[in-house]
Structure formats: C-alpha cells, structure tokens
Amino acid sequence: MKALSISNLKKEYAGGLQALKGIDLDVEEGDFFALLGPNGAGKSTTIGIISSLVTKTSGQVKILDIDIDENHSLAKKKLGVVGQEVNFNQFEKVGDIIKNQAGYYGLSFKQARENAKHYMRKLDIWDKRDEQARKLSGGMKRRVMVAKALVNNPELLILDEPTAGVDIELRRSLWDFLTEINKAGTTIILTTHYLEEAERLCRNIAIIDSGEIVENTSMQELLTRLEVETFVFDLSKPLLKLPESSDFDMFLENPQKLKVTVGKGQGLNSIFEILSGLGIEISSMRNETGRLEELFLGLVDATLTEKKND
Ligand code: ADP
Ligand code: MG
C-alpha cells in the first residue's frame, strides 16, 4: 500500500496563479521522503491540500488508500501534519494544547494523557508542560507542534520545512527523533529547501519547481548524478566514429558535437590532453547544465544565505 498517492493534482489560486500544474507523487509505506524545492515551488500548497486546509482545483489524493474526498475523517486520523505556521492557541498551556488535540481525535482521557506525556518527554518539552505556549522560544514551539501532530500516533507524518529558522542543536535533535520514529514504522514526508537535510534523512526524493515535479528518484541515485558534469565540445573536423577511451563517458551527438561526462572536479586539462591525443580538434566548448543542476544552484545558494542569517 502507498502511504500517499497523489495524481494529477492541480491548484489555481484566486487571481489565476497556477501553484500546482498537475503533479503525481507516490510515497511508499515506511519511507522517509523529501519534497525539495525553492521558495514558491508549491510545497506548502501540496501539504495544505493533503491536510484539507487548502481546496484543490482538481486531481486526487489518497492517504493509505483512503481518498480524502470520500472519507475525509478517516484519512485525517491516519495523518499528522506539522505546518510552517504556529497552529495552536498560544495562551494555552503546552500540556493542554497536546492533550486537547488527542481529544479531537477521540482518544480517551487516559490515552490522551499517556500519549501527550510520551511525546512531550521524547521532544524534551515535558518540563514546559505548565507554561503558556507564547512564552516558549521559536524552536520550542516547533517541538510543541511536532508533539501535537503525533499525539494520535499517525501512520503518516508530514512536516513542512520543520527546521527552517531553527538553531543547529534543535535541528540535530529533531533529525534524530524523526529517524527514530521512522525506524519504528512511521512514514515521514518532509519539505525542505536544504539539500543537506534531505540527504541526511531521506531515502527517496521528489523535486518540485514552479508547480511541477521535475525529479522523483532515490536520494542515492540523485547524489550519484550530481557527482558528474557534462562538457559539450564543438569539433573543428567532423568525427565519423566515437574514439575509444576508457577515461571518460563520451557521446557523439552529431559528427561535430561531442559530449563528455566526467566526475566533478576532474581537471579539464586531462580531457584536452586525451582528446588531442586521439587527434580530435576542438573549436569551442561549454559546460552543459541541466535543469536539475540549475535548480540545485538556486537551492544551494538559498541554503548558504539562510546559514549566514542564522
Ligand atoms: P512553497 O511552500 O514551496 O514555498 P507555496 O505552496 O507556499 O510554495 O506557494 C506556491 C505559489 O503559490 C507561490 O507562488 C505563492 O506565492 C502562491 N500562493 C501560496 N498561497 C497562496 C494564496 N493563499 N493565494 C494566492 N497565491 C498563493
Ligand atoms: Mg512553504
């Protein structure tokens, strides 16, 4: 069974902005999945629709095989969501916020108290249980949101940029905590614009940009692909046959255009040497950047800027 299955999901906001242009996304049960994308890509819109806070324009969403349109309340029971914005009454006490949430899910008073205690302890907010939530730091509030989302032991936990604006220590402890509950069986989906975060935690990844899924693969496969770069050489003389070389992957796109794939950081000099040794004359060259690499340049920049501002 899929923990989440989205097909042809579209969202047009009032005013005509197409935030989602028909996305498809499947997440397996037990997975730790990253939805990575720059600001404005459509990550929060997607999560808003899954959690029924945003109405979709068209398409289908299933949570553990339950269509959210057909059985909204059952789907909701399977799901815990940690949004980007604080979603509790800040004048209430931390413990009450979490226990009351369990009440919404129909847990008994005793069960609610037990679960609330368990997650407050796990998230290190147990000693804040009698404090008014508004007095907590931003990072602590984030922990309250996580405890609140987990209090009914959902099978699928979705977190929208859980570590944005959070200090390094909390980021690390949240990573450890999420890894632990994923190992214990909870499917986790998180959105992030930190490639590092996705890389650390997630087994599978989808990349969203301008309302479209541009990549959907395993983290490992993606990282392998990012370790190479492709150069395009225009040749002075047409080449009829691809030369043999064990040093690089080469591809003759047409008799005057040769593509060479090398590991990142491998010197260009050695490519020139080998090509000239093979009698190939080059008239010009350029580095071919794919859409993915371009997107990552943006994501990496965003990460660096945030780190500076931390
Ligand atoms: P992300 O979470 O990836 O940063 P969002 O889903 O928040 O992206 O936004 C996707 C696009 O939809 C952006 O262009 C954003 O400005 C727009 N958008 C988001 N919420 C609304 C809204 N309530 N009304 C109109 N446009 C919106
Ligand atoms: Mg967002």
Side-chain angles (χ1 to χ4, degrees):
M1 204 193 327
K2 308 264 185 256
L4 178 70
S5 181
I6 291 178
S7 37
N8 202 16
L9 184 63
K10 293 184 183 167
K11 174 64 186 178
E12 187 176 321
Y13 281 110
L17 183 106
Q18 285 229 300
L20 297 175
K21 298 170 182 162
I23 64 165
D24 296 306
L25 199 63
D26 278 333
V27 177
E28 298 291 336
E29 258 186 301
D31 204 355
F32 204 140
F33 190 94
L35 183 61
L36 184 73
N39 281 330
K43 303 183 295 296
S44 296
T45 300
T46 306
I47 291 182
I49 293 170
I50 298 168
S51 51
S52 303
L53 296 170
V54 174
T55 39
K56 58 186 159 63
T57 304
S58 63
Q60 192 186 42
V61 177
K62 284 183 178 176
I63 297 166
L64 290 141
D65 260 355
I66 304 154
D67 191 314
I68 58 166
D69 292 335
E70 282 166 17
N71 199 339
H72 169 74
S73 58
L74 184 59
K76 219 173 160 174
K77 278 191 180 158
K78 309 262 178 195
L79 178 70
V81 176
V82 181
Q84 268 185 297
E85 313 287 335
V86 170
N87 64 341
F88 50 74
N89 180 347
Q90 304 217 30
F91 289 93
E92 280 183 42
K93 286 182 187 167
V94 170
D96 292 341
I97 290 168
I98 296 164
K99 272 183 284 178
N100 291 343
Q101 180 70 16
Y104 291 133
Y105 285 110
L107 269 64
S108 70
F109 182 74
K110 183 167 170 280
Q111 193 68 55
R113 208 176 47 189
E114 266 174 32
N115 289 8
K117 184 172 173 181
H118 172 75
Y119 285 112
M120 280 192 274
R121 284 229 157 114
K122 278 273 170 206
L123 286 151
D124 260 341
I125 49 173
W126 177 241
D127 59 345
K128 308 274 181 208
R129 63 191 178 280
D130 290 325
E131 275 191 39
Q132 236 184 11
R134 70 186 174 94
K135 294 190 180 145
L136 303 186
S137 68
M140 284 289 170
K141 284 179 189 162
R142 194 66 62 112
R143 293 181 199 214
V144 175
M145 289 161 74
V146 176
K148 183 178 171 235
L150 280 170
V151 77
N152 68 322
N153 297 323
E155 289 168 60
L156 172 62
L157 177 67
I158 304 183
L159 307 106
D160 197 357
E161 306 217 18
T163 58
V166 151
D167 64 68
I168 305 250
E169 198 191 311
L170 175 58
R171 193 175 294 172
R172 295 264 152 79
S173 67
L174 204 53
W175 284 352
D176 289 345
F177 174 72
L178 294 176
T179 305
E180 186 188 322
I181 61 168
N182 175 248
K183 280 201 180 123
T186 310
T187 308
I188 301 181
I189 301 174
L190 59 83
T191 76
T192 183
H193 59 256
Y194 298 110
L195 176 61
E196 188 205 354
E197 180 160 82
E199 187 181 338
R200 268 279 179 116
L201 296 173
C202 300
R203 273 189 294 282
N204 291 296
I205 184 168
I207 300 171
I208 184 169
D209 187 30
S210 307
E212 287 177 281
I213 302 284
V214 294
E215 198 64 50
N216 190 348
T217 182
S218 72
M219 199 64 227
Q220 205 170 15
E221 195 275 337
L222 180 81
L223 292 175
T224 315
R225 202 142 30 103
L226 287 169
E227 278 164 13
V228 297
E229 58 191 325
T230 301
F231 293 96
V232 184
F233 295 95
D234 295 311
L235 310 179
S236 325
K237 282 180 281 179
L239 198 64
L240 295 174
K241 196 175 154 284
L242 196 65
E244 296 277 329
S245 164
S246 53
D247 298 287
F248 316 111
D249 275 342
M250 294 202 266
F251 170 71
L252 200 56
E253 194 164 272
N254 65 49
Q256 281 189 286
K257 191 186 270 185
L258 180 71
K259 287 191 173 181
V260 180
T261 303
V262 298
K264 278 255 162 76
Q266 191 166 342
L268 264 176
N269 277 344
S270 58
I271 305 181
F272 286 129
E273 245 167 56
I274 286 169
L275 291 183
S276 82
L278 292 164
I280 297 171
E281 278 177 39
I282 295 153
S283 63
S284 69
M285 69 143 293
R286 67 187 173 279
N287 187 338
E288 185 184 64
T289 3
R291 197 170 166 199
L292 187 61
E293 282 77 11
E294 271 165 21
L295 190 62
F296 269 105
L297 290 177
L299 289 170
V300 169
D301 284 344
T303 309
L304 291 177
T305 335
E306 287 236 349
K307 282 210 173 122
K308 256 184 255 155
N309 294 341
D310 263 359

